Amino acid sequence: MFYRLSGTYHTSYQADRKLWKIPTDRWLVIALLVLAALAPLYVSPLYLGSYVLPWVIWSAAALSLTLLMGLAGQLHFGFAAVMAIGAYASIHLVRAGVPFELALLLSGLIAAVIGTVFGGAALRVKGLYLVMATLAMQYLVDWVVVNVPAISGGAHATLRTPDVGFLFLPIDSLASRYWLALGWAVALTVFFMNVKRTSFGRALVAIRDKDFAAAVIGVDPFRTKLTAFATSSFMGGVTGAILAFCFYRAVTPEQFGFNVSIQLVAMVLVGGLGSVIGSWLGAGFVLLAPIFLTNLVSGLAAGGWVPVSQNFLSHLPLMIYGAMIIGFLLLEPLGLAKIYDNIRKYFLVWPFRHARS
Amino acid sequence: MTFLRKLALTTALVAGLSASAMAEDVKFGLLQDFTAVYTFVTGQYNQGQQDYLALANAEGILGDGNTVTAIVRDTGNQPQRGIEAYNRAKEEGAILFDFLSTPVSAAILDQASADKNIVITPAHGRGDASDGTVFPYVFPMMPTYWAQAAALIEYMKETGGLEGKKIAIVHIDSPFGREPGPILDALAKQEGFEFQAFPYASPGNEQAAAWSEVRRYRPDYVLIWGAGGGQAVSVRTAIQNGIRPEQIHSVIWLAETDAANVGPQMKGVKRFEATAAGTDHPIIQRIQEKVITPGKGSGDQANVGNSYYNLGVATMAVAVEAARLGLEGGQPLTGDTLKAGFEKISGFDAEGLMPPVTYTAEDHQGGGAGRVSEWDGEKWVPVSDWKAAYPDLIRTVIEESAAKYKEGN
């Protein structure tokens, strides 16, 4: 119905290699992009600043993590620490007088170097053991941040971000902060979609599926795994810096704690491992569902519909949220991305029943 | 849902308007952590706050038909959820906020000050926010952690002397746990005692390693600086390591629940308190009579009179008093008039529930007076009088730290 394929012919290799081969997909993406870019014009500051902006930034974080977990198959349970490195590095660099644009790049590089060092564990261990190694990274980075006042910013461990500009655009208003974050998230999205089609992306997938089989066909596991950690940590580091400068504007160690790492893993899993749209949907779900549920339940309570104590009232959204995660994963173990894919495929061949792929 | 809420709001507004053209509904945003880290205190604390607001409305404390409403939301101690809750409550018209969470307060402090909204940070948050010249819209309103440490040290000085004594400070390994550090440094020089810090890893369910070190140190006094479940573990492990309960002195976060968890060994342990515990106070009595008995209480009756419940009551008693003073003269209540209201408060003691507090444009801590109380096996019994310890030293530390904040930290 919507995704009409008849009349769509790919007569050149170029046409067949497009990112969005079906016109409807293409138009949908363009429409979404225009809507997103114009969001500051029609979304109220409350929703822009508290919902859309964090969603965009956390989607970028989920994309960074899913490159490692989804494409390369290397589990990482300390990704918030990677973002913390990026955030703290960028603030200290800007304070030292480095231009913001350069500080973003450098903070990504610093995160990449440290992330790769810990990623070295992946050369020896896999699966749950790698989870332990990355958890160690989380706790080590946390400990260093809290215990080195020069990093955390002294007694109260709060560092405020200095005023900065990005390519002559001052990053102070909500709209400019949103545009910078959106630009970064879109860049990551395009990068991610393209990396899947490069030899590097295929090497990652080969490593994920069986690393010694990949070695047999000529993929160097040593280089590929470390590059995967470096790329993903670079993306995560810059995202951490964006999070600090565009959203929080005051950095504290708690913003990058272990629970944030778990949230990021949840985003990637609920959204669908290794999927672009899954990262966006997963980040939106994990980040915003608790907020929506809390407001919904509080609204019902204010209307006298839920006569329970404040304590229970606060836990009710968590129960619903937990049930929703289990529900979604039971319904479709491959995540929200697969649910979207099913819907899309249904319309692809409608009114017939089965899509080919 | 929104429709229902709007309908209710409109009806309330229309009804309110017809009753009194000037009546105002003051909104406080109590956006706290009910589900993550601060659960040990939030439930009772928030219950006290809501019950006091109900009492204030029942008694018409604000006068002229003015009422006060709480907007209560869970933030789960997550800064991004706190930001959302803050922005939403701001749109609903809240002018005073209490987050009872250090990370959430830290994330919102600058924004709230730019919006000219009051943030109260009783017993949590930055101590240097007591400097009203640097933080005009933030009110710590009660003794900061620095003042608490000083009060406990002064109590030790009065009960057993400090010259040549050894103090062990056993704290959670976090910025909060490190708060007393600078005060102890300064006082050790001044009073001639020595001290050593023994950190344990968060959340503090297991502290055996730290306490066996303490045992070797053979301290005369022990300061415990943690919160939540870790506190009961501290007391229990201390006693296992041969520390007598009388030697243990705690930060404000030690309450009835912890005593129940420790058991009979707890007798003799001391803590700092900023508000009195128990139900034997006029305000708590009136809450019993006018809010709890008619069934309008916001939680479990058994909590009424608990330490944290009374702490919540005291915070709202001060805030409502500030709102009352801010409304004097008939101008509408905004962040600025509420701030002025706070700074008019002088010698207010919530009918004996707390020490008399006076806020000025410079001092948003309200003097920093508190006292020490001891667990007698059933309840907390005060063992010293309300007073501020080493106020000059505390003020110096506050001003130094606030000056650093001004420079950009």
Side-chain angles (χ1 to χ4, degrees):
Chain A
M1 180 175 60
F2 300 117
Y3 292 93
R4 196 160 276 289
L5 288 178
S6 69
T8 307
Y9 304 110
H10 305 302
T11 49
S12 64
Y13 285 117
Q14 211 175 6
D16 198 43
R17 285 210 313 258
K18 278 185 175 166
L19 272 180
W20 294 286
K21 282 184 248 182
I22 301 169
T24 320
D25 274 340
R26 205 149 56 225
W27 288 116
L28 215 59
V29 168
I30 293 173
L32 277 178
L33 206 57
V34 170
L35 276 179
L38 297 181
L41 301 182
Y42 63 89
V43 179
S44 77
L46 166 64
Y47 283 93
L48 187 68
S50 316
Y51 293 77
V52 186
L53 176 62
W55 181 22
V56 165
I57 300 176
W58 258 278
S59 298
L63 277 170
S64 319
L65 181 57
T66 208
L67 179 94
L68 194 59
M69 284 189 41
L71 275 197
Q74 309 297 315
L75 301 177
H76 201 316
F77 275 51
F79 208 68
V82 175
M83 293 171 68
I85 295 168
Y88 278 102
S90 64
I91 289 192
H92 286 293
L93 284 169
V94 170
R95 287 188 168 200
V98 179
F100 182 53
E101 299 83 352
L102 197 61
L104 278 182
L105 280 180
L106 284 175
S107 62
L109 285 177
I110 294 172
V113 169
I114 302 179
T116 312
V117 170
F118 283 92
L123 302 174
R124 299 297 300 265
V125 294
K126 275 185 264 197
L128 280 176
Y129 300 93
L130 182 58
V131 167
M132 292 307 293
T134 50
L135 269 181
M137 171 181 186
Q138 172 76 47
Y139 283 108
L140 264 172
V141 171
D142 273 357
W143 189 88
V144 170
V145 169
V146 170
N147 284 280
V148 182
I151 297 179
S152 69
H156 293 288
T158 306
L159 274 181
R160 287 189 294 162
T161 56
D163 293 331
V164 290
F166 187 79
L167 302 178
F168 309 113
L169 174 73
I171 303 296
D172 50 359
S173 72
L174 179 58
S176 62
R177 288 186 280 134
Y178 167 73
W179 277 321
L180 177 59
L182 182 69
W184 172 246
V186 168
L188 275 195
T189 307
V190 173
F191 170 76
F192 194 96
M193 297 180 82
N194 279 300
V195 91
K196 283 183 168 177
R197 317 193 296 176
T198 61
S199 57
F200 173 54
R202 295 198 183 90
L204 292 182
V205 173
I207 291 286
R208 173 189 72 195
D209 290 345
K210 206 86 201 163
D211 52 359
F212 46 85
V216 167
I217 58 168
V219 175
D220 181 1
F222 178 84
R223 218 184 54 195
T224 314
K225 279 183 183 175
L226 285 190
T227 323
F229 269 94
T231 317
S232 167
S233 302
F234 176 83
M235 292 156 69
V238 179
T239 308
I242 296 271
L243 183 69
F245 276 88
C246 294
F247 184 58
Y248 285 136
R249 293 195 290 169
V251 175
T252 61
E254 294 96 339
Q255 287 164 1
F256 302 99
F258 172 60
N259 57 330
V260 180
S261 282
I262 296 301
Q263 268 189 325
L264 284 166
V265 172
M267 285 173 189
V268 168
L269 290 183
V270 171
L273 269 175
S275 150
V276 171
I277 192 154
S279 298
W280 283 84
L281 294 178
F285 180 80
V286 171
L287 198 66
L288 303 181
I291 298 180
F292 278 119
L293 288 171
T294 303
N295 286 328
L296 177 75
V297 171
S298 300
L300 288 178
W305 295 85
V306 200
V308 292
S309 77
Q310 185 64 48
N311 214 358
F312 184 68
L313 199 65
S314 305
H315 285 86
L316 195 57
L318 287 184
M319 296 181 198
I320 305 175
Y321 173 61
M324 277 171 80
I325 290 188
I326 296 173
F328 273 126
L329 289 182
L330 280 180
L331 184 74
E332 184 50 76
L334 294 177
L336 296 173
K338 185 67 184 166
I339 295 180
Y340 166 78
D341 195 46
N342 290 343
I343 296 170
R344 179 175 170 276
K345 282 203 176 120
Y346 174 83
F347 285 117
L348 204 59
V349 292
W350 187 88
F352 303 109
R353 287 294 304 252
H354 297 291
R356 245 181 319 154
S357 66
Chain B
M1 185 259 324
T2 346
F3 168 71
L4 271 179
R5 202 159 57 190
K6 273 187 184 148
L7 192 73
L9 254 172
T10 333
T11 343
L13 258 176
V14 170
L17 278 178
S18 53
S20 151
M22 297 295 290
E24 194 171 344
D25 187 24
V26 178
K27 291 201 181 68
F28 290 168
L30 310 177
L31 316 170
Q32 295 155 354
D33 166 21
F34 290 90
T35 52
V37 178
Y38 291 78
T39 44
F40 70 95
V41 48
T42 313
Q44 299 176 13
Y45 176 84
N46 185 269
Q47 189 187 343
Q49 292 187 315
Q50 291 203 47
D51 285 356
Y52 181 78
L53 294 183
L55 177 74
N57 285 335
E59 294 186 338
I61 290 181
L62 288 179
D64 296 338
N66 295 326
T67 52
V68 52
T69 310
I71 299 172
V72 184
R73 288 285 184 287
D74 173 39
T75 64
N77 199 34
Q78 294 174 19
Q80 90 273 8
R81 286 184 64 184
I83 290 173
E84 187 273 341
Y86 167 77
N87 284 331
R88 182 172 292 278
K90 183 175 80 180
E91 257 186 23
E92 289 174 19
I95 52 171
L96 177 140
F97 295 87
D98 182 1
F99 300 104
L100 193 64
S101 148
T102 302
V104 174
S105 294
I108 297 172
L109 218 54
D110 284 349
Q111 183 61 46
S113 296
D115 294 337
K116 300 192 171 180
N117 282 323
I118 304 289
V119 177
I120 58 170
T121 59
H124 74 280
R126 317 178 58 110
D128 54 2
S130 306
D131 188 341
T133 56
V134 179
F135 297 87
Y137 296 96
V138 186
F139 283 85
M141 102 195 310
M142 285 184 179
T144 59
Y145 288 126
W146 294 329
Q148 295 181 27
L152 291 167
I153 296 290
E154 191 176 70
Y155 176 76
M156 293 170 192
K157 183 183 176 187
E158 284 167 3
T159 48
L162 282 173
E163 194 71 38
K165 293 283 170 68
K166 286 204 280 190
I167 302 179
I169 159 129
V170 187
H171 67 84
I172 190 162
D173 199 5
S174 72
F176 152 67
R178 280 159 213 284
E179 292 256 2
I183 298 295
L184 291 177
D185 273 332
L187 286 178
K189 274 187 217 116
Q190 191 179 323
E191 302 290 349
F193 64 87
E194 63 167 292
F195 77 97
Q196 195 175 332
F198 301 88
Y200 57 82
S202 172
N205 296 331
E206 170 51 49
Q207 306 172 12
W211 284 100
S212 55
E213 293 283 318
V214 175
R215 175 184 212 149
R216 248 168 266 155
Y217 183 62
R218 298 181 167 276
D220 297 294
Y221 308 104
V222 174
L223 262 183
I224 58 172
W225 213 269
Q231 288 288 81
V233 179
S234 285
V235 174
R236 229 180 295 135
T237 325
I239 293 168
Q240 280 164 12
N241 280 282
I243 311 276
R244 282 172 293 111
E246 295 77 31
Q247 288 173 287
I248 303 175
H249 299 70
S250 167
V251 64
I252 193 167
W253 305 125
L254 191 70
E256 289 79 1
T257 324
D258 304 302
N261 287 340
V262 173
Q265 293 172 315
M266 178 87 170
K267 192 163 181 274
V269 173
K270 294 174 195 70
R271 64 148 191 203
F272 175 87
E273 65 181 20
T275 52
T279 52
D280 198 13
H281 306 281
I283 286 191
I284 308 294
Q285 296 287 341
R286 294 212 304 284
I287 288 180
Q288 282 278 19
E289 178 193 327
K290 296 184 184 168
V291 179
I292 309 292
T293 314
K296 287 190 274 183
S298 64
D300 189 353
Q301 281 196 35
N303 291 336
V304 176
N306 273 356
S307 304
Y308 297 154
Y309 180 95
N310 287 10
L311 189 67
V313 169
T315 62
M316 285 299 108
V318 174
V320 168
E321 176 69 4
R324 187 183 71 78
L325 293 168
L327 281 164
E328 269 180 2
Q331 73 273 44
L333 203 60
T334 62
D336 276 312
T337 48
L338 184 58
K339 169 181 151 62
F342 265 103
E343 288 165 3
K344 276 189 214 164
I345 292 179
S346 171
F348 179 77
D349 68 349
E351 297 168 54
L353 187 65
M354 57 193 282
V357 289
T358 303
Y359 303 99
T360 63
E362 291 80 38
D363 179 17
H364 283 186
Q365 188 190 202
R371 70 181 179 194
V372 177
S373 62
E374 184 180 297
W375 182 254
D376 76 346
E378 276 165 18
K379 59 182 186 304
W380 292 100
V381 184
V383 290
S384 73
D385 293 326
W386 297 121
K387 65 167 175 270
Y390 303 104
D392 298 335
L393 170 71
I394 304 298
R395 189 68 204 171
T396 319
V397 176
I398 287 172
E399 279 170 8
E400 273 170 15
S401 175
K404 273 190 206 143
Y405 173 88
K406 220 172 178 179
E407 285 164 20
N409 273 316

